[in-house]
Amino acid sequence: MAAISCSAEQLSSLLGPNSTGAADYLCSVVSSISSKLHDTSYAVDSTYLLFSAYLVFSMQLGFAMLCAGSVRAKNTMNIMLTNVLDAATGGIFYYLFGFAFAFGSPSNSFIGRHFFGLRDVPSPLYDYSNFLYQWAFAIAAAGITSGSIAERTQFVAYLIYSSFLTGFVYPVVSHWIWSNDGWASAFNTGNLLFGSGAIDFAGSGVVHMVGGIAGLWGALIEGPRIGRFDHTGRSVALRGHSASLVVLGTFLLWFGWYGFNPGSFNKILVSYGTSSGYYGQWSAVGRTAVTTTLAGCTAALTTLFGKRIMSGHWNVTDVCNGLLGGFAAITAGCSVVEPWAAIVCGFVSAIVLIGCNKLAEVLKYDDPLEAAQLHGGCGAWGLIFTGLFAKEEFVREVYAADAGRPHGLLMGGGGKLLAAQLVEIVVIAGWVSATMGPLFYLLHRMKLLRISAEDEMAGMDLTRHGGFAYVYHDEDESQAKVNNGGIPLRGFSNSVPTRGD
Amino acid sequence: MEVSWETSVEKSINTIYLLFSAYLVFMMQLGFAMLCAGSVRAKNAMNIMLTNVVDAVVGSISYYLFGFAFAFGEGSSSNPFIGTYYFALKDIPNSTYDYSFFLYQWAFAIAVAGITSGSIAERTQFSTYLIFSFFLTGFVYPVVSHWMWSSSGWLSPSASDLFIGSGAIDFAGSGVVHLVGGIAGLWGSLIEGPRAGRFDAFGKPVPMRGHNATLVVLGTFLLWFGWFGFNPGSFDKILVSYPTTSDQGNWTGVSRTAVTTALAGSTAGIVTLFGRRLLVGHWDALDVCNGVLGGFVAITSGCSVVEPWAAIVCGLVSAWVLIGLNIVALKLKFDDPLEATQLHGGCGAWGLIFTGLFAKEEFVVQVYDSGASGVSRPYGLFLGGGWNLLGSQVVEILAIVGWDSISPATVGTHTRVIRRKHGPGTTQTMRGFRTGS
């Protein structure tokens, strides 16, 4: 924001002789007004960013409920604990070094190197609100991966990969795309990739692809859940235990996405020049919320009818996943496309998700939350979509860019932006595969990754988390074993829970 | 006289900030209702959820009629013990307090009664609960908040006459909210006794597991979410600049408070995870949830006046405080279905002490003197700030425990309890049907 300034000398010369006193007085008043406006601006932007951060945080809850509902009842405690711990361990590791790797400026184009343990924060660049907002994003990425490896992963492996992903793998990617120094960043005005930089506004690639590709490797190396593909190789549905939780989670994620996408502007009080008084960054923020909504809705409807045609009935859990895929896709370009384009985005993302799911079945790939297909597949489509539909006017406003900046291919912007998007897709897939792939493989070789077949059949809640999540009949209590501390340790029950409960 | 445009802008921004913080704190009612529901047996779910709804609706009436007045009433004669003005919001709004402030404080008041309902869950007569909730929200709690948060309160750090030159710092209420709720719950639980079957004939504890862990996690996350209104929102105003800096003001303190809150809860959760793994041999999701909440309760007192690294220390210790108190409770045959006394009472008290050890002077001056230059205040003992702050914190703990023990005990002695050894719980007999499985 340009500073309001007042020069007492100039003012005095305009006012006439003996006016130094008057000029000084007027300038001091102007100066205090400027200060007040300055402060107001900080307060407004902080309020906006903080509430957006709280919304993104509520997506943790949404994802926890989505996960819980999508797995079998015997594994509910396990998956929810992983979600709680994503937030907790992410908090510590992102504070200690994740934020520094991501945003530590000034630095090189690969990784950041300031602000470890929030040293020197607040600074003119970053306040605590920026840290909190980015923390909420970081923990979202780790949450995504947990979906792919649900129902069969040892808890220790979980803790290790989650810390590594939130503390290192993810921050490095966000440095490339979102930091002022990043080699692929659209904010790196001195040194733009292909003269464009990649546009991934709220993270279809940085968040969703990273989480999805990490999940892909975990699930591939672990293999499918027992019973997921029968002896002839046909797929068997392992239904989640609660559609209500799936819907609850989906709506909470939708709610939180209003912090995830529009909040990525970081500031709301920014004007785009003096030509029209009512239009400024606040309008772009609103437009972003609209594009987000439209993409999700279109994807959901497309999925509804698509699955009706394919399977003969109206499937709520598929529609929920389709909806989320639409959000994951629009996340890259939400701020730089017109609302009508968001409809196109959602439509295609639904088809991408259905296609990826079919492919997964053919390849006998088992992902309990379809996380790799949804976040990886729809995320990649979202980046391509942005390279096709980004509007020049919006790109210039959002990235404070000069005229002539590359934009969407189908909007007359040439191929440079699309090329940068493709580079981002390849590089993210490569980096995540090169870091998380070996980690999962190492854990697998050390027999730390997958649980035993007996544990998997009995359910992880029973064998590793102290008991089932649901206790509807109190008579069961009297069968529980008790040790000296009064802590319940259940023995194995005689009947092994059947598939589908 | 017309309001200047400048004042309008400032007040609008501050009001938006406070109102949205109030809505977040209100979400904690839902969070606590879900936590409670999931933590009790299925046959008592309706009962506990109704108590949570009742807390909000009954508390609204009592807090509106006289609770807010007892808490913040400052008339011509200001009293350090209890407020005497603004009954039924008379003379609100004024230059100090607007409706948004009342709503924010209301959201806090109804939270306190919720805490206590956890301790006495599964065995308390509903009619007694109604009376108790009305009384706690309308009188017991407001008086404590007057001491600590009104500018005429005897322990308040905003008073003109500071207690031992310091006043006690309880920014968002580890003491005022959590310790009050926890101690009231302690008395209710002690007087009622444990649930039937909780300790067997040899005195050994029998586990009574909650019926739905998903609701417990849902409730925990909603509480976490709402805590972002509970702690940072306690600044009340976001548009206050600090004169000795060029770009810092309450917006910086607010953001820092959100960060300390998140870090304390996170640390407490991780430490509880590993601590319980050592003690019981498995990874317990429900214990981790309680551990996280204990971390939040503890940081609530000093969230605005400590560095982020100190918040990590706070969470680390609070996890062990909770684990320790739970072991003690079992040994003493104390039954609290939600561990509310141990969590809110115990971690709340630790939070007050923590503040007395780690408060940073620069932040104390920012919060209580708007960052004015040349002001000095007692601050954390470990940071070189002397004993006065810690002393005030201890006085606050003693005062709250004392006050809380006199008031609800009189109600508690009249509490009658449904005692059943077998068969239906309170829900079926009093509500006519039970929750389906």
Side-chain angles (χ1 to χ4, degrees):
Chain A
M1 163 169 124
I4 299 170
S5 60
C6 178
S7 159
E9 287 148 4
Q10 279 186 343
L11 189 53
S12 181
S13 66
L14 290 167
L15 287 171
N18 293 330
S19 63
T20 335
D24 282 337
Y25 170 74
L26 282 169
C27 273
S28 76
V29 170
V30 169
S31 172
S32 71
I33 294 173
S34 168
S35 211
K36 208 70 174 102
L37 283 171
H38 203 65
D39 295 339
T40 305
S41 185
Y42 277 121
V44 166
D45 286 331
S46 285
T47 305
Y48 177 68
L49 188 59
L50 278 175
F51 279 90
S52 298
Y54 308 155
L55 280 172
V56 178
F57 176 71
S58 72
M59 294 170 84
Q60 279 303 106
L61 170 58
F63 201 69
M65 295 298 106
L66 183 77
C67 283
S70 301
V71 302
R72 290 161 294 176
K74 63 187 183 182
N75 293 316
T76 310
M77 298 266 256
N78 172 267
I79 195 76
M80 289 195 298
L81 183 58
T82 64
N83 276 290
V84 174
L85 285 169
D86 275 330
T89 53
I92 303 304
F93 286 107
Y94 201 69
Y95 161 78
L96 286 176
F97 34 80
F99 182 73
F101 289 150
F103 294 100
S105 279
S107 176
N108 62 61
S109 58
F110 178 76
I111 194 170
R113 54 187 182 84
H114 293 279
F115 308 141
F116 288 93
L118 286 184
R119 191 157 174 262
D120 297 327
V121 170
S123 78
L125 259 183
Y126 299 121
D127 198 349
Y128 290 107
S129 45
N130 297 101
F131 166 76
L132 197 80
Y133 189 69
Q134 292 301 328
W135 158 76
F137 269 64
I139 61 181
I144 291 167
T145 313
S146 69
S148 300
I149 55 178
E151 302 210 83
R152 59 214 193 282
T153 307
Q154 291 189 43
F155 200 69
V156 164
Y158 182 80
L159 285 172
I160 293 171
Y161 99 73
S162 175
S163 320
F164 185 56
L165 188 73
T166 316
F168 179 63
V169 178
Y170 163 82
V172 166
V173 177
S174 62
H175 185 83
W176 300 342
I177 314 288
W178 287 342
S179 147
N180 292 335
D181 303 320
W183 64 270
S185 169
F187 296 108
N188 192 346
T189 36
N191 198 7
L192 289 167
L193 176 69
F194 305 152
S196 165
I199 292 182
D200 189 4
F201 187 68
S204 293
V206 179
V207 177
H208 296 281
M209 272 191 74
V210 167
I213 303 284
L216 175 72
W217 282 107
L220 271 178
I221 289 170
E222 278 191 327
R225 289 168 288 175
I226 294 171
R228 178 73 177 88
F229 296 100
D230 68 16
H231 58 277
T232 66
R234 259 207 319 237
S235 104
V236 177
L238 294 180
R239 287 162 62 99
H241 82 278
S242 172
S244 310
L245 288 178
V246 169
V247 173
L248 171 65
T250 302
F251 267 119
L252 280 166
L253 284 164
W254 186 342
F255 174 65
W257 233 294
Y258 288 122
F260 201 91
N261 285 2
S264 293
F265 278 93
N266 287 350
K267 291 186 202 299
I268 189 166
L269 185 50
V270 175
S271 92
Y272 288 152
T274 53
S275 48
S276 54
Y278 59 84
Y279 181 75
Q281 187 128 298
W282 48 90
S283 318
V285 161
R287 186 183 66 234
T288 304
V290 169
T291 55
T292 302
T293 311
L294 287 173
C297 295
T298 312
L301 283 172
T302 310
T303 309
L304 176 74
F305 289 106
K307 295 296 279 186
R308 172 73 174 80
I309 294 169
M310 288 165 56
S311 70
H313 62 267
W314 313 98
N315 189 316
V316 68
T317 48
D318 283 340
V319 166
C320 285
N321 278 322
L323 177 72
L324 296 174
F327 288 141
I330 194 60
T331 293
C334 49
S335 60
V336 293
V337 301
E338 291 274 21
W340 62 259
I343 294 178
V344 174
C345 180
F347 178 74
V348 175
S349 92
I351 297 170
V352 165
L353 182 57
I354 291 174
C356 284
N357 280 332
K358 275 266 168 262
L359 186 63
E361 231 176 84
V362 163
L363 297 176
K364 293 208 228 331
Y365 168 77
D366 178 30
D367 189 321
L369 272 285
E370 310 175 356
Q373 299 91 300
L374 203 162
H375 298 274
C378 295
W381 153 242
L383 287 171
I384 294 174
F385 160 78
T386 308
L388 297 172
F389 287 92
K391 185 168 167 173
E392 188 193 8
E393 179 194 336
F394 298 160
V395 171
R396 270 194 290 119
E397 286 161 0
V398 171
Y399 291 95
D402 301 323
R405 182 82 162 241
H407 50 283
L409 176 65
L410 300 179
M411 311 289 282
K416 292 211 168 82
L417 175 60
L418 183 61
Q421 305 296 89
L422 292 170
V423 166
E424 181 183 342
I425 292 174
V426 167
V427 157
I428 286 179
W431 167 253
V432 176
S433 302
T435 48
M436 298 302 290
L439 175 69
F440 281 123
Y441 187 67
L442 184 67
L443 290 169
H444 169 69
R445 292 291 299 202
M446 292 169 66
K447 300 208 186 314
L448 286 177
L449 188 59
R450 188 160 179 166
I451 60 180
S452 69
E454 299 82 39
D455 282 0
E456 192 170 332
M457 292 310 293
M460 296 183 69
D461 291 358
L462 193 60
T463 56
R464 285 149 195 279
H465 295 288
F468 289 124
Y470 303 103
V471 179
Y472 287 119
H473 302 286
D474 302 322
E475 310 82 71
D476 296 344
E477 299 295 340
S478 52
Q479 291 160 17
K481 289 188 184 159
V482 175
N483 71 14
N484 281 338
I487 319 296
L489 280 175
R490 284 175 170 262
F492 282 70
S493 54
N494 287 330
S495 59
V496 174
T498 54
R499 205 186 301 136
D501 37 80
Chain B
M1 190 182 89
E2 208 182 288
V3 180
S4 73
W5 184 81
E6 183 196 326
T7 310
S8 308
V9 167
E10 189 178 314
K11 287 202 177 292
S12 302
I13 291 169
N14 284 329
T15 302
I16 292 171
Y17 177 69
L18 192 58
L19 277 178
F20 278 87
S21 299
Y23 307 153
L24 278 174
V25 178
F26 176 70
M27 278 287 267
M28 295 169 84
Q29 281 301 107
L30 170 62
F32 202 70
M34 295 297 103
L35 184 78
C36 285
S39 300
V40 301
R41 288 165 292 178
K43 61 186 183 182
N44 293 316
M46 297 267 259
N47 172 270
I48 193 81
M49 286 196 291
L50 183 58
T51 63
N52 275 290
V53 176
V54 151
D55 280 331
V57 304
V58 160
S60 305
I61 305 302
S62 62
Y63 199 70
Y64 161 77
L65 286 175
F66 40 83
F68 183 75
F70 290 151
F72 295 99
E74 284 135 29
S76 45
S77 57
S78 70
N79 181 319
F81 177 74
I82 192 170
T84 53
Y85 221 62
Y86 305 143
F87 288 94
L89 289 185
K90 181 170 183 287
D91 295 328
I92 297 283
N94 60 40
S95 54
T96 332
Y97 298 126
D98 200 343
Y99 289 111
S100 49
F101 184 75
F102 166 76
L103 195 78
Y104 187 70
Q105 292 300 329
W106 159 81
F108 269 63
I110 61 180
V112 186
I115 291 168
T116 313
S117 69
S119 299
I120 55 179
E122 303 209 82
R123 59 214 195 281
T124 304
Q125 284 205 17
F126 195 71
S127 47
T128 311
Y129 185 78
L130 275 175
I131 299 167
F132 163 78
S133 177
F134 187 80
F135 184 60
L136 186 74
T137 311
F139 179 63
V140 177
Y141 161 79
V143 166
V144 177
S145 64
H146 184 83
W147 301 343
M148 293 301 310
W149 288 343
S150 156
S151 51
S152 40
W154 65 276
L155 258 182
S156 168
S158 345
S160 42
D161 187 19
L162 294 170
F163 180 76
I164 61 174
S166 169
I169 292 181
D170 190 3
F171 186 68
S174 293
V176 179
V177 176
H178 297 283
L179 189 58
V180 167
I183 299 294
L186 170 70
W187 284 110
S189 215
L190 273 177
I191 290 167
E192 280 189 332
R195 289 168 287 178
R198 179 71 175 100
F199 297 97
D200 65 16
F202 304 100
K204 290 188 78 172
V206 176
M208 286 187 170
R209 285 169 63 92
H211 83 282
N212 191 325
T214 309
L215 288 180
V216 171
V217 173
L218 171 66
T220 302
F221 266 122
L222 281 169
L223 284 164
W224 188 337
F225 177 63
W227 232 293
F228 285 125
F230 200 90
N231 285 2
S234 293
F235 275 88
D236 291 341
K237 298 190 198 315
I238 191 165
L239 183 45
V240 173
S241 71
Y242 298 150
T244 55
T245 67
S246 59
D247 54 11
Q248 288 191 32
N250 270 7
W251 52 87
T252 316
V254 157
S255 312
R256 187 182 60 237
T257 303
V259 171
T260 53
T261 302
L263 284 175
S266 299
T267 311
I270 297 170
V271 172
T272 307
L273 176 77
F274 288 105
R276 293 295 285 172
R277 174 73 175 82
L278 274 172
L279 290 173
V280 305
H282 64 262
W283 311 96
D284 197 308
L286 303 177
D287 284 340
V288 167
C289 286
N290 277 326
V292 167
L293 295 175
F296 290 138
V297 166
I299 194 60
T300 292
S301 149
C303 48
S304 59
V305 294
V306 301
E307 291 275 20
W309 63 259
I312 293 179
V313 173
C314 179
L316 204 152
V317 175
S318 90
W320 287 111
V321 165
L322 182 58
I323 290 175
L325 286 175
N326 278 333
I327 294 173
V328 168
L330 281 179
K331 291 246 181 306
L332 298 178
K333 297 208 228 329
F334 172 74
D335 178 29
D336 186 322
L338 272 286
E339 308 175 359
T341 302
Q342 299 91 299
L343 204 161
H344 296 272
C347 294
W350 154 242
L352 287 171
I353 293 178
F354 160 79
T355 307
L357 298 172
F358 288 91
K360 187 169 168 173
E361 188 181 19
E362 180 193 341
F363 297 161
V364 174
V365 171
Q366 282 177 358
V367 172
Y368 293 105
D369 299 298
S370 300
S373 63
V375 175
S376 77
R377 283 232 179 208
Y379 54 104
L381 176 67
F382 288 169
L383 270 58
W387 291 87
N388 283 27
L389 177 60
L390 182 61
S392 307
Q393 304 295 91
V394 171
V395 167
E396 181 186 343
I397 296 175
L398 294 172
I400 287 176
V401 172
W403 168 251
D404 221 15
S405 303
I406 318 170
S407 334
T410 55
V411 181
T413 47
H414 300 293
T415 302
R416 294 178 336 267
V417 167
I418 296 175
R419 289 216 153 268
R420 295 240 190 295
K421 279 197 174 168
H422 312 284
T426 54
T427 299
Q428 186 170 37
T429 50
M430 300 193 75
R431 222 71 59 217
F433 53 93
R434 57 187 280 172
T435 49
S437 33

